Amino acid sequence: MYQTLHPEDLDTKEEDLEDITLKHVLVDAEYNDLGFSVGSRLMILMESQSTWSINIIIRALMYMVQTYHDYFKRTKQNLYGSKKTNLPEPELYMIFTGNKENIPDQITLSEEFFNGKKISVDAEVKILYHESEDIIGQYIIFCKVYNEQRKLHGNTKKAITETIRICKDRNVLKKYLESREKEVVDIMMTLFDDDYILKAYVKDYAKDEAKKTAISMIKDGDMSLEKIAKYIPSLSLDELKELEAEIIKSA
């Protein structure tokens, strides 16, 4: 991928690259799809999207700030000292794997959010969307095939195995898929699990918030449980009765 982005760099070797991806955890924190540094001179942050969103600029800017924060901690640099810190040059990318006409080659914070006005901090995100024979172009083709197979088979193992079969037949990431097919299947099945866990987490959080609201409404005493149920449809009448009983018991 780095060689595709920087074909002019003939000196960088594999050992010069370091994974600096912000990791995904179920807390209120930033994470991105891919981040890596090239020695101490370059920081590349990347996000992949199948649905177009101009807000990628803001997310990329937040990834960059968090990654710099981690970098300064890791390299033990003092931001409050008189010595100028070493600051790797950032490059921000979005790989777009969906369908959209008139895709720009790059988007900027100043143009998209401030009508081109000069602002104190700007951010430029380069858009990668061409299907081609290089590693990024093949990845885009792989994702588009995968999206098609998910429409046919849902979030199933068959959608994954069919994607791999079709891509190998079309010579898309063929060498990689042949050598690591089981690993690819396992990783993509894990993504299904992560998606399920995240949705369950969000659902539980929403229910907790609904309960807090219902408790406040019950304590106010201005509405019947039947009316509260209309305003908070995520809670059944029986659940509201249980909450009421707990409130009375603890009073």
Side-chain angles (χ1 to χ4, degrees):
M1 179 178 289
Y2 174 70
Q3 289 172 338
T4 298
L5 296 173
H6 286 278
E8 79 288 350
D9 185 354
L10 303 177
D11 298 325
T12 295
K13 300 178 177 59
E14 184 177 347
E15 55 267 25
D16 297 322
L17 306 182
E18 181 182 1
D19 180 13
I20 56 171
T21 306
L22 300 173
K23 304 304 181 185
H24 177 191
V25 291
L26 284 179
V27 294
D28 185 16
E30 299 304 322
Y31 66 92
N32 63 328
D33 286 339
L34 177 65
F36 62 94
S37 61
V38 183
S40 60
R41 63 182 178 80
L42 192 63
M43 185 178 76
I44 295 177
L45 305 179
M46 195 166 290
E47 186 83 352
S48 179
Q49 286 187 185
S50 60
T51 303
W52 181 264
S53 173
I54 205 67
N55 295 326
I56 183 62
I57 305 173
I58 299 173
R59 295 208 309 275
L61 184 59
M62 294 172 71
Y63 300 153
M64 184 178 70
V65 171
Q66 182 61 50
T67 304
Y68 272 138
H69 175 76
D70 294 348
Y71 171 79
F72 291 132
K73 285 179 63 178
R74 187 171 68 254
T75 56
K76 298 179 180 179
Q77 296 191 65
N78 180 13
L79 296 181
Y80 300 96
S82 58
K83 181 181 177 181
K84 184 167 71 173
T85 59
N86 176 41
L87 190 67
E89 178 184 348
E91 291 185 4
L92 307 176
Y93 294 91
M94 177 178 79
I95 299 179
F96 182 63
T97 61
N99 297 313
K100 183 183 182 300
E101 295 182 357
N102 302 319
I103 302 173
D105 291 327
Q106 66 181 38
I107 49 180
T108 65
L109 185 68
S110 58
E111 288 290 339
E112 298 296 338
F113 289 89
F114 302 101
N115 296 317
K117 181 181 177 182
K118 186 177 180 180
I119 54 178
S120 296
V121 177
D122 204 352
E124 173 188 283
V125 179
K126 297 176 182 177
I127 312 299
L128 308 173
Y129 58 92
H130 292 292
E131 297 181 18
S132 60
E133 294 183 0
D134 63 44
I135 190 69
I136 296 174
Q138 289 186 56
Y139 171 76
I140 291 170
I141 296 171
F142 178 89
C143 289
K144 289 186 175 181
V145 172
Y146 178 52
N147 290 339
E148 292 169 358
Q149 293 306 305
R150 285 181 72 178
K151 289 178 182 178
L152 292 173
H153 306 293
N155 290 348
T156 63
K157 186 174 182 179
K158 184 173 183 180
I160 299 170
T161 56
E162 281 297 289
T163 299
I164 293 172
R165 180 188 64 78
I166 292 169
C167 286
K168 286 197 296 185
D169 289 346
R170 293 174 58 182
N171 201 29
V172 173
L173 300 178
K174 183 175 181 179
K175 185 176 179 181
Y176 181 84
L177 293 173
E178 285 181 339
S179 63
R180 300 192 177 187
E181 181 167 343
K182 184 181 183 303
E183 181 182 345
V184 172
V185 172
D186 289 344
I187 289 172
M188 295 178 77
M189 289 298 294
T190 300
L191 291 177
F192 290 159
D193 292 340
D194 284 348
D195 186 51
Y196 174 79
I197 291 169
L198 184 58
K199 286 179 180 176
Y201 173 82
V202 171
K203 186 176 180 180
D204 287 345
Y205 177 81
K207 189 134 189 175
D208 286 342
E209 291 300 304
K211 285 182 178 179
K212 289 178 183 178
T213 302
I215 289 171
S216 296
M217 295 172 77
I218 293 170
K219 285 182 177 180
D220 286 343
D222 295 333
M223 292 186 186
S224 66
L225 296 183
E226 289 77 9
K227 195 166 184 179
I228 293 174
K230 291 180 180 180
Y231 283 99
I232 310 178
S234 59
L235 296 177
S236 67
L237 186 58
D238 287 340
E239 287 175 312
L240 291 173
K241 288 179 179 178
E242 288 179 9
L243 288 176
E244 184 182 51
E246 290 174 8
I247 292 169
I248 295 171
K249 185 178 180 181
S250 61

